[in-house]
């Protein structure tokens, strides 16, 4: 796999995901180092979509601990059921949050963050980590992001 992404210009968001996901799959296939793969996934997503913040929190000793990310510095630890990330972990379900101020218990790592999507990644039945994507615009994520990011996290989960 070449170490550069091909991103079609003037593509719709869905087309961009459709182009990107196989490239990310190729990038992580055959590489056993989890952190290398997580780092490349965050870089690829940021390069393709210019996300304000994109990164992983990994389940370690009953907490979520910050992993590879792109964007401003962030909170390092999140408890089970806390914030959007801790809720995705507890409910084992994607959290699509159009307005973070309206989400009870949202953890504001950055005051610039306005909307957010968090997708759990499963190792078997258990949540191993979550992918968190933040935007500085309200309602910046929709069902298209949810569909494709979930698809990508299934691919990642299978590699664990
Ligand atoms: N807002 C998240 C915390 C992580 S940061 O946004 C990077 C939450 O409520 O879980």
């Amino acid at each position: 796999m070449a170490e550069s992404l091909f991103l079609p210009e003037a593509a719709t968001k869905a087309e961009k995901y459709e182009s990107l996901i196989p490239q990310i799959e190729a990038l992580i296939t055959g590489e056993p180092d989890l952190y290398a793969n997580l780092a490349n996934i965050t870089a690829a997503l940021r390069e393709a979509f210019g996300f304000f913040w994109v990164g992983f929190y990994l389940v370690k000793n009953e907490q979520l601990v910050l992993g590879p990310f792109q964007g401003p510095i962030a909170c390092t630890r999140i408890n089970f059921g806390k914030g959007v990330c801790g809720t995705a972990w507890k409910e084992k379900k994607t959290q699509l949050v159009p307005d973070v101020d309206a989400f009870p218990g949202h953890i504001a790592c950055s005051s610039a963050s306005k909307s957010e999507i968090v997708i759990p990644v499963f190792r078997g039945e258990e949540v191993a980590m979550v992918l968190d994507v933040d935007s500085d615009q309200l309602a910046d994520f929709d069902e298209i992001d949810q569909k494709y990011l979930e698809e990508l996290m299934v691919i990642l989960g299978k590699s664990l």
Side-chain angles (χ1 to χ4, degrees):
M1 164 82 195
E3 275 85 20
S4 61
L5 295 174
F6 167 73
L7 298 167
E9 276 179 40
T12 64
K13 185 160 69 173
E15 286 167 344
K16 273 197 197 175
Y17 277 115
E18 300 224 347
S19 164
L20 187 66
I21 288 174
Q23 295 183 70
I24 294 179
E25 189 172 13
L27 198 55
I28 68 175
T29 298
E31 172 49 66
D33 190 277
L34 176 62
Y35 266 64
N37 288 335
L38 299 185
N40 258 342
I41 291 171
T42 62
L45 288 172
R46 183 171 160 95
E47 188 178 330
F49 296 106
F51 291 140
F52 173 72
W53 195 95
V54 50
F56 289 94
Y57 282 91
L58 290 91
V59 175
K60 290 182 183 174
N61 299 324
E62 304 307 311
Q63 281 188 315
L64 288 171
V65 182
L66 183 64
F69 71 96
Q70 303 265 315
I73 58 167
C75 336
T76 51
R77 288 174 188 271
I78 297 172
N79 286 328
F80 185 70
K82 299 295 176 193
V84 185
C85 292
T87 302
W89 177 19
K90 184 177 177 185
E91 294 188 1
K92 298 185 168 183
K93 215 171 97 214
T94 295
Q95 305 295 307
L96 182 54
V97 182
D99 178 358
V100 294
D101 289 334
F103 188 95
H106 166 255
I107 300 164
C109 288
S110 163
S111 57
S113 180
K114 300 272 190 295
S115 58
E116 180 164 1
I117 184 168
V118 179
I119 298 102
V121 183
F122 294 89
R123 184 186 284 112
E125 299 288 300
E126 295 308 310
V127 175
M129 66 192 84
V130 300
L131 175 74
D132 180 13
V133 191
D134 289 19
S135 172
D136 57 2
Q137 309 292 315
L138 281 169
D140 212 12
F141 306 107
D142 58 19
E143 288 68 26
I144 294 177
D145 298 289
Q146 177 168 353
K147 169 181 178 326
Y148 287 105
L149 291 174
E150 284 179 350
E151 195 178 294
L152 182 59
M153 292 306 105
V154 167
I155 292 168
L156 173 62
K158 284 184 185 151
S159 79
L160 296 179

